[in-house]
Amino acid sequence: MIETVLETQGLTKYYGSALAVDHMDLKIPRGCICGFIGRNGAGKTTAIKLMLGLLRPTAGSSRLLGCDSAALTPAIRQRIGYVAEGHRLFRWMSISGLEKFQRAFFPKQWDDKLFADMIEYFGLPKKQKIKHLSNGQRAQVSLALTLAPNPELLIMDDPTLGLDAAIRRQFLEGMIELIMRQGRTILFSSHILGDVERVSDRIVVIDKGVLRADCKLERFREAIKKVILGFEDSVPAEVDIDGLLHCRRSEKELELTLVGTDDEKIAEWANSAGAEKYTIVKMNLEDQFIEFTAPANRRKLFQWEEI
Ligand code: ATP
């Protein structure tokens, strides 16, 4: 049986009367890299803080490594790494100073070699104070500090925000390095969907606080597609195909975005609608995400998915 390392049940958070996370039921299996995506204000940071027990839910619950988030024991906390949005580090400390400080919290599990290797890999000056580092360098220090205790579960909130493409690539390679060690799990939020596509094997999509997808990346990638149909005369007035997300019309063409509609069904529909020709167009993750979370569409998907 697949082990779940992170699970939420009906997780809900209101800030005053504003609903930020709405009855979220989520399951993350051990050993995956899971991209957590959603538009600005969708509720990612709130959900992450709830999962870590840093915020109290209005309703529902979550469990990390089998332990209720509201009552994470020090022993469980030591098995979890968290990179907060913005990489908040003590600005007056040097990298070496921070290393010593952080190591004291993880006396048994701190991996000196891993920390030293990462600092060298990123080319960081160990004696430099945090306040004299660039944003990217702070992100790298933050990742090294989080990885050195060998966390079993790593949760990162927009860890590559503001980093250039090359540094992001290094950062993501660092993540992959971690996951290659058996049994490690990563959940990370990001707005850079090319990165999510490159490194994730699962994705979670949240939209206005509502969980819209929780599935294997491959499943999401295969499920959302665009079909362009050409008609000799005019396009049909009604489009009644299953899984329709969006329909754009021109005089002789229909452009449909569909979810979960298999190619056979598309062929059948194209035939019955009298299309002269049709093409199924491959979309990248960013286009799929934009179509999937467009305001007109509030379809809930993929929660049936096996984990
Ligand atoms: P982004 O991608 O822009 O960082 P996000 O998906 O992480 O956004 P959250 O920061 O979780 O979104 O915010 C979700 C909603 O909750 C937003 O509408 C935000 O304005 C609101 N919110 C967040 N923190 C608070 C707070 N402390 N008090 C009141 N409202 C808040």
Side-chain angles (χ1 to χ4, degrees):
M1 204 178 87
I2 298 167
E3 187 194 346
T4 301
V5 291
L6 191 164
E7 186 168 4
T8 69
Q9 281 180 339
L11 194 64
T12 301
K13 178 71 184 174
Y14 277 88
Y15 292 110
S17 60
L19 181 56
V21 174
D22 187 3
H23 293 90
M24 180 187 254
D25 292 325
L26 179 67
K27 278 185 181 179
I28 309 288
R30 184 179 287 279
C32 69
I33 298 186
C34 181
F36 189 16
I37 61 178
R39 297 181 163 207
N40 287 131
K44 300 177 296 298
T45 298
T46 304
I48 285 175
K49 286 184 173 167
L50 290 168
M51 289 167 194
L52 288 159
L54 301 174
L55 271 180
R56 195 191 293 255
T58 311
S61 62
S62 64
R63 295 177 77 76
L64 297 189
L65 302 173
C67 183
D68 193 301
S69 300
L72 291 176
T73 60
I76 296 279
R77 283 194 186 278
Q78 291 207 328
R79 293 161 59 196
I80 300 166
Y82 169 46
V83 176
E85 205 175 19
H87 306 285
R88 278 168 227 131
L89 301 169
F90 294 122
R91 294 175 58 79
W92 49 272
M93 284 179 113
S94 66
I95 297 177
S96 312
L98 263 181
E99 178 192 7
K100 269 192 211 125
F101 177 76
Q102 195 77 353
R103 195 205 278 122
F105 293 100
F106 304 94
K108 292 201 189 113
Q109 61 200 82
W110 189 269
D111 185 336
D112 284 310
K113 183 170 172 346
L114 176 67
F115 187 82
D117 286 352
M118 289 193 75
I119 294 298
E120 191 189 323
Y121 175 67
F122 291 138
L124 294 167
K126 277 187 90 171
K127 300 222 153 41
Q128 191 81 278
K129 292 220 159 111
I130 300 300
K131 65 180 170 193
H132 296 136
L133 298 178
S134 72
N135 278 341
Q137 289 173 320
R138 275 203 293 276
Q140 291 165 333
V141 174
S142 179
L143 184 68
L145 289 169
T146 311
L147 294 193
N150 265 317
E152 228 173 288
L153 171 62
L154 178 60
I155 298 179
M156 299 193 282
D157 194 0
D158 216 348
T160 58
L161 180 72
L163 306 190
D164 74 37
I167 303 272
R168 280 202 335 265
R169 185 68 65 93
Q170 275 184 332
F171 192 99
L172 296 170
E173 279 168 10
M175 261 170 60
I176 293 168
E177 155 94 8
L178 175 79
I179 201 72
M180 301 213 352
R181 296 183 216 169
Q182 224 188 349
R184 300 293 189 253
T185 309
I186 298 174
L187 175 76
F188 77 109
S189 69
S190 178
H191 289 289
I192 301 176
L193 300 195
D195 287 352
V196 172
E197 190 170 0
R198 185 164 340 104
V199 302
S200 308
D201 42 30
R202 285 189 76 84
I203 58 164
V204 169
V205 182
I206 184 175
D207 184 23
K208 298 191 178 81
V210 176
L211 183 71
R212 296 273 310 284
D214 168 21
C215 60
K216 289 186 179 143
L217 177 69
E218 203 182 299
R219 173 92 165 152
F220 190 86
R221 300 283 293 115
E222 279 166 8
I224 300 175
K225 43 189 129 176
K226 186 165 280 185
V227 185
I228 299 172
L229 302 106
F231 294 85
E232 210 161 288
D233 303 318
S234 55
V235 301
E238 287 274 311
V239 177
D240 56 355
I241 182 168
D242 280 351
L244 184 66
L245 284 177
H246 295 290
C247 170
R248 293 182 186 90
R249 300 163 174 276
S250 62
E251 204 187 325
K252 303 241 161 147
E253 252 183 31
L254 267 185
E255 186 188 292
L256 309 180
T257 311
L258 302 167
V259 61
T261 316
D262 61 38
D263 292 358
E264 226 168 79
K265 275 263 156 57
I266 294 171
E268 260 171 42
W269 189 84
N271 190 30
S272 69
E276 193 196 6
K277 57 181 181 181
Y278 74 93
T279 321
I280 300 178
V281 181
K282 204 162 167 46
M283 299 167 81
N284 63 27
L285 181 64
E286 186 166 287
D287 290 339
Q288 290 182 310
F289 169 75
I290 288 169
E291 296 274 343
F292 188 56
T293 56
N297 157 46
R298 300 287 292 155
R299 213 177 260 261
K300 194 165 196 166
L301 280 174
F302 301 136
Q303 276 191 271
W304 72 82
E305 174 85 343
E306 86 291 355
I307 58 169

Short mmCIF file of all heavy atoms in Angstrom, two decimals, residues 15 20 39-46 85 191, ligand 1:
data_model
loop_
_atom_site.label_atom_id
_atom_site.label_comp_id
_atom_site.label_asym_id
_atom_site.label_seq_id
_atom_site.Cartn_x
_atom_site.Cartn_y
_atom_site.Cartn_z
N TYR A 15 -10.34 34.11 7.05
CA TYR A 15 -9.76 35.28 7.70
C TYR A 15 -10.94 36.23 7.88
O TYR A 15 -11.41 36.80 6.88
CB TYR A 15 -8.69 35.94 6.82
CG TYR A 15 -7.43 35.12 6.63
CD1 TYR A 15 -7.14 34.56 5.39
CD2 TYR A 15 -6.51 34.95 7.66
CE1 TYR A 15 -5.96 33.84 5.19
CE2 TYR A 15 -5.33 34.23 7.47
CZ TYR A 15 -5.07 33.68 6.24
OH TYR A 15 -3.92 32.97 6.03
N ALA A 20 -10.32 31.58 2.72
CA ALA A 20 -9.03 31.44 2.03
C ALA A 20 -8.78 30.00 1.60
O ALA A 20 -8.19 29.75 0.55
CB ALA A 20 -7.90 31.92 2.93
N ARG A 39 -3.34 30.59 -8.69
CA ARG A 39 -3.09 32.01 -8.98
C ARG A 39 -2.77 32.79 -7.70
O ARG A 39 -2.94 32.25 -6.60
CB ARG A 39 -4.32 32.60 -9.64
CG ARG A 39 -4.57 31.91 -10.96
CD ARG A 39 -5.75 32.47 -11.67
NE ARG A 39 -5.65 32.04 -13.04
CZ ARG A 39 -6.15 32.68 -14.08
NH1 ARG A 39 -6.81 33.78 -13.92
NH2 ARG A 39 -5.97 32.20 -15.29
N ASN A 40 -2.38 34.04 -7.84
CA ASN A 40 -2.14 34.89 -6.66
C ASN A 40 -3.39 34.90 -5.79
O ASN A 40 -4.50 35.06 -6.31
CB ASN A 40 -1.83 36.34 -7.08
CG ASN A 40 -0.44 36.47 -7.69
OD1 ASN A 40 -0.29 37.06 -8.74
ND2 ASN A 40 0.57 35.94 -7.04
N GLY A 41 -3.18 34.71 -4.51
CA GLY A 41 -4.30 34.76 -3.58
C GLY A 41 -5.16 33.51 -3.57
O GLY A 41 -6.23 33.48 -2.94
N ALA A 42 -4.71 32.44 -4.24
CA ALA A 42 -5.53 31.22 -4.32
C ALA A 42 -5.63 30.50 -2.98
O ALA A 42 -6.55 29.71 -2.75
CB ALA A 42 -4.96 30.28 -5.38
N GLY A 43 -4.64 30.71 -2.12
CA GLY A 43 -4.68 30.06 -0.80
C GLY A 43 -3.51 29.11 -0.54
O GLY A 43 -3.53 28.36 0.43
N LYS A 44 -2.47 29.18 -1.35
CA LYS A 44 -1.35 28.24 -1.20
C LYS A 44 -0.61 28.44 0.12
O LYS A 44 -0.39 27.49 0.87
CB LYS A 44 -0.36 28.38 -2.38
CG LYS A 44 -0.98 28.12 -3.74
CD LYS A 44 0.00 28.33 -4.87
CE LYS A 44 0.50 29.75 -5.02
NZ LYS A 44 -0.53 30.76 -5.32
N THR A 45 -0.20 29.70 0.38
CA THR A 45 0.55 29.96 1.62
C THR A 45 -0.30 29.61 2.83
O THR A 45 0.19 28.99 3.80
CB THR A 45 0.98 31.45 1.68
OG1 THR A 45 1.85 31.68 0.57
CG2 THR A 45 1.70 31.79 2.97
N THR A 46 -1.58 29.98 2.79
CA THR A 46 -2.46 29.67 3.92
C THR A 46 -2.54 28.15 4.11
O THR A 46 -2.41 27.66 5.25
CB THR A 46 -3.87 30.26 3.66
OG1 THR A 46 -3.74 31.66 3.43
CG2 THR A 46 -4.81 30.01 4.81
N GLU A 85 8.10 31.43 2.36
CA GLU A 85 8.13 32.43 1.30
C GLU A 85 9.08 33.55 1.72
O GLU A 85 9.02 34.02 2.85
CB GLU A 85 6.71 32.99 1.16
CG GLU A 85 6.39 33.55 -0.18
CD GLU A 85 4.93 33.97 -0.28
OE1 GLU A 85 4.28 34.16 0.78
OE2 GLU A 85 4.44 34.11 -1.40
N HIS A 191 4.94 29.73 -9.16
CA HIS A 191 4.18 30.30 -10.27
C HIS A 191 4.88 30.02 -11.59
O HIS A 191 4.38 30.41 -12.64
CB HIS A 191 4.04 31.82 -10.09
CG HIS A 191 3.13 32.20 -8.96
ND1 HIS A 191 1.78 32.02 -9.03
CD2 HIS A 191 3.37 32.71 -7.74
CE1 HIS A 191 1.22 32.43 -7.89
NE2 HIS A 191 2.18 32.83 -7.08
P1 ATP B 1 0.35 34.20 -3.74
O1 ATP B 1 0.56 33.25 -4.85
O2 ATP B 1 -0.02 35.57 -4.24
O3 ATP B 1 1.45 34.22 -2.71
P2 ATP B 1 -1.38 32.45 -2.16
O4 ATP B 1 -2.00 31.44 -3.07
O5 ATP B 1 -0.22 32.00 -1.34
O6 ATP B 1 -1.02 33.76 -2.97
P3 ATP B 1 -2.58 33.27 0.35
O7 ATP B 1 -1.43 34.13 0.77
O8 ATP B 1 -2.78 31.99 1.07
O9 ATP B 1 -2.56 32.99 -1.23
O10 ATP B 1 -3.90 34.14 0.47
C1 ATP B 1 -5.19 33.57 0.28
C2 ATP B 1 -6.23 34.65 0.56
O11 ATP B 1 -6.23 34.94 1.96
C3 ATP B 1 -5.99 35.96 -0.15
O12 ATP B 1 -7.22 36.49 -0.53
C4 ATP B 1 -5.32 36.82 0.91
O13 ATP B 1 -5.64 38.18 0.69
C5 ATP B 1 -5.98 36.32 2.17
N1 ATP B 1 -5.06 36.42 3.34
C6 ATP B 1 -3.85 35.86 3.47
N2 ATP B 1 -3.31 36.11 4.67
C7 ATP B 1 -4.22 36.87 5.34
C8 ATP B 1 -4.28 37.46 6.64
N3 ATP B 1 -3.28 37.30 7.50
N4 ATP B 1 -5.38 38.17 6.96
C9 ATP B 1 -6.41 38.32 6.09
N5 ATP B 1 -6.42 37.79 4.84
C10 ATP B 1 -5.35 37.07 4.47
#
